[in-house]
Amino acid sequence: MGDPRLNKLAKLLVNYSTRVKKGDFVYVQCDSVAEPWMAEVVKEAILAGAHVETNLTSDAVSEIKLKYSTDDQLQEENFMAKTLLSKADVWLTAWGTRNTKSNSNIDAKRLQLSSKGAASWRKIYSERMGNGSLRWCGTQFPTYADAQEASMSLSEYEDFVYGAGLLDSEDPVSEWKKISAYQEKWVKYLNNKKELHIISEGTDIKVNIEGRKWINCDGKVNFPDGEVFTSPVEDGINGYITFSFPGIYMGKEIEGIRLEVENGKVVKATAKKGEDLLKALLETDEGASRFGEVAIGTNYGIKKFTKNMLFDEKIGGTIHMAIGDSMPEAGGKNRSTIHWDMLCDMRNGGKIYADGELFYENGKFMDSKLEE
């Protein structure tokens, strides 16, 4: 018997997150290991009246492409993704793998070239998400490999994944609506601000957010969710930031990342491990050395770092910044073929000021500021 929470997840993704309706064209994609998730989602989308197209991918095939392709082949545009994302009304994705280390021995330059091959569909995705014509949501399917990466048994990891999405509750949609209402108060507060000043261990950075829109992440784009974010002004970031946890890119870890930033551009980048990959990623294209996102994690049900950014970036008490592609829906103008999140712990003395006013300390919002 399958886990009943998987069906709950499928219903939520189709009916709440992406609001599938009769006549929608729904594109469903995952690795073959997550086929049980696909079956549940396809069923719910068909019951909602949608036309559904599917794509099962393979880590083994992806590894072969990375190993044996020429440089030109690596940069070939993904015709299927480009075509489907041009036409689909809804795109639903599940992450999950049989081997989280399959790219460990792939040269950093080849990963960089492969990311350039995603440029054609990434541009379409960004534009359509920005204008609202595409509704996308990505989630996690629990696998043995991902459980091992998180140092959990499969049953523990299933409880972690589904618990983070509140799928153990009687009415998960109602719970996410409550979260949405609370986060919306902080979105309104931040929408009126011009600058963030973020201070924590190894971090003192000022981020211009004037004129940018903050987004309330309440389970409609990522699931599980729990963050508020915006895309900063491209040339308006100055200072330095140290990321508390390893950065994970295509299964490879980069530890001890420290970035120095002048007028929005990373001018110095160091890492204790994986520095070559870090520098290669920053040189992917013109936009890769600038920031596309600044965000505050709000999901206090996620307490453990699992090396999976879907969960880690939502950890209550952390902030994250992403180099690369920005979000048009937030007013972002930076374009890149990559969007890579890195995480900073704020729970031990971290502070965030907005236009000089302290509103976030030791990993928590100061709700009293909403009443002033």
Side-chain angles (χ1 to χ4, degrees):
M1 179 179 175
D3 193 321
R5 294 172 296 186
L6 184 57
N7 179 253
K8 257 187 177 181
L9 172 60
K11 288 179 182 293
L12 189 147
L13 292 172
V14 169
N15 300 308
Y16 169 75
S17 300
T18 55
R19 308 172 306 283
V20 174
K21 61 185 184 298
K22 185 176 181 179
D24 275 344
F25 173 16
V26 178
Y27 171 41
V28 185
Q29 177 193 23
C30 64
D31 186 270
S32 56
V33 73
E35 188 174 353
W37 170 85
M38 177 179 280
E40 292 287 348
V41 167
V42 167
K43 181 181 74 174
E44 294 302 324
I46 289 173
L47 290 174
H51 167 72
V52 182
E53 295 282 350
T54 61
N55 180 24
L56 280 175
T57 58
S58 164
D59 280 344
V61 173
S62 296
E63 182 184 0
I64 287 169
K65 287 183 175 181
L66 284 167
K67 281 185 175 180
Y68 299 110
S69 296
T70 64
D71 288 357
D72 287 342
Q73 286 172 322
L74 284 174
Q75 296 178 83
E76 287 274 3
E77 67 175 25
N78 187 321
F79 176 78
M80 181 181 289
K82 180 181 178 181
T83 302
L84 286 168
L85 293 180
S86 296
K87 303 295 183 183
D89 300 297
V90 173
W91 180 24
L92 286 165
T93 307
W95 296 290
T97 180
R98 288 185 172 87
N99 182 359
T100 61
K101 304 298 184 184
S102 59
N103 292 328
S104 295
N105 297 315
I106 303 296
D107 183 78
K109 189 69 176 177
R110 298 186 69 73
L111 295 176
Q112 180 197 54
L113 290 173
S114 178
S115 69
K116 288 184 177 180
S120 59
W121 71 257
R122 180 85 206 185
K123 181 174 185 291
I124 293 167
Y125 164 80
S126 294
E127 289 175 353
R128 296 197 63 210
M129 285 292 288
N131 64 31
S133 63
L134 176 67
R135 307 185 307 275
W136 170 76
C137 191
T139 192
Q140 176 72 35
F141 178 75
T143 70
Y144 281 107
D146 291 297
Q148 284 182 316
E149 191 76 357
S151 299
M152 300 181 197
S153 69
L154 180 60
S155 63
E156 288 171 339
Y157 191 62
E158 287 172 337
D159 289 345
F160 167 78
V161 169
Y162 295 132
L166 305 176
L167 294 165
D168 292 314
S169 64
E170 186 174 336
D171 185 357
V173 170
S174 177
E175 295 301 317
W176 281 103
K177 286 181 177 179
K178 291 176 187 175
I179 291 169
S180 179
Y182 173 72
Q183 291 183 169
E184 189 61 28
K185 295 177 182 179
W186 283 107
V187 164
K188 290 179 179 177
Y189 171 88
L190 290 165
N191 274 338
N192 294 319
K193 306 303 180 183
K194 297 179 180 178
E195 182 183 74
L196 296 183
H197 186 186
I198 302 168
I199 300 171
S200 67
E201 185 176 353
T203 297
D204 188 336
I205 194 165
K206 292 183 176 180
V207 182
N208 186 339
I209 55 170
E210 185 174 6
R212 298 299 164 91
K213 179 182 178 182
W214 283 80
I215 307 297
N216 180 353
C217 298
D218 54 2
K220 294 190 178 74
V221 175
N222 280 176
F223 195 85
D225 221 332
E227 66 173 291
V228 293
F229 77 83
T230 194
S231 290
V233 176
E234 286 69 25
D235 60 356
I237 304 174
N238 288 280
Y240 55 90
I241 184 166
T242 301
F243 295 102
S244 317
F245 301 98
I248 313 294
Y249 189 82
M250 293 184 73
K252 302 187 78 166
E253 294 183 32
I254 307 175
E255 297 179 3
I257 300 169
R258 186 181 188 275
L259 304 179
E260 294 182 18
V261 190
E262 292 180 5
N263 299 322
K265 186 177 179 66
V266 177
V267 294
K268 184 177 181 181
T270 59
K272 294 178 180 177
K273 173 187 173 184
E275 189 172 298
D276 288 348
L277 176 56
L278 172 64
K279 290 182 175 179
L281 291 172
L282 289 166
E283 295 170 359
T284 300
D285 51 38
E286 179 61 30
S289 59
R290 296 185 180 273
F291 290 88
E293 179 185 7
V294 59
I296 302 171
T298 62
N299 192 327
Y300 292 90
I302 303 175
K303 304 179 186 301
K304 178 179 171 61
F305 181 72
T306 62
K307 301 182 183 179
N308 183 331
M309 195 52 72
L310 172 67
F311 300 97
D312 297 339
E313 69 175 2
K314 316 296 192 317
I315 295 173
T318 67
I319 65 107
H320 59 276
M321 294 184 71
I323 56 169
D325 209 36
S326 61
M327 289 77 163
E329 62 268 34
K333 297 177 176 63
N334 194 50
R335 298 276 73 87
S336 175
T337 60
I338 68 170
H339 177 91
W340 184 40
D341 297 289
M342 292 170 281
L343 191 65
C344 182
D345 199 337
M346 302 292 287
R347 291 171 290 191
N348 187 21
K351 297 180 180 181
I352 310 178
Y353 297 83
D355 295 348
E357 177 180 72
L358 181 66
F359 74 95
Y360 183 97
E361 187 172 22
N362 291 318
K364 292 186 180 295
F365 288 108
M366 299 168 66
D367 287 345
S368 60
K369 298 301 177 184
L370 297 174
E371 301 164 2
E372 296 177 0

